[in-house]
Amino acid sequence: MTATTTGMLVGAVLALTALAFGFWAFVFVAIAMAIGFGIGRVVEGKLDVRGLADALRGRRSS
């Protein structure tokens, strides 16, 4: 199991725990899975955080 998969699994477990509380729990599921996926990609070294931050600030176009 890769770090990305593990991160997504942890996010999903945390989100499903909150699912019993209604619609906002669904929103939490999506956010938790995205965060888990992102953390997993950073741990694997497949996501360059500095490059992403520069792109969001407009310092890089691609």
Side-chain angles (χ1 to χ4, degrees):
M1 187 178 296
T2 66
T4 301
T5 306
T6 303
M8 286 182 62
L9 182 62
V10 168
V13 168
L14 290 172
L16 290 175
T17 301
L19 189 60
F21 297 111
F23 171 75
W24 291 107
F26 173 78
V27 174
F28 177 74
V29 169
I31 292 170
M33 288 185 74
I35 291 170
F37 177 76
I39 290 171
R41 298 294 282 190
V42 170
V43 169
E44 283 183 343
K46 294 184 178 180
L47 179 63
D48 179 24
V49 179
R50 283 189 189 168
L52 179 62
D54 286 344
L56 290 174
R57 282 186 251 147
R59 295 184 181 198
R60 286 186 177 178
S61 61
S62 61

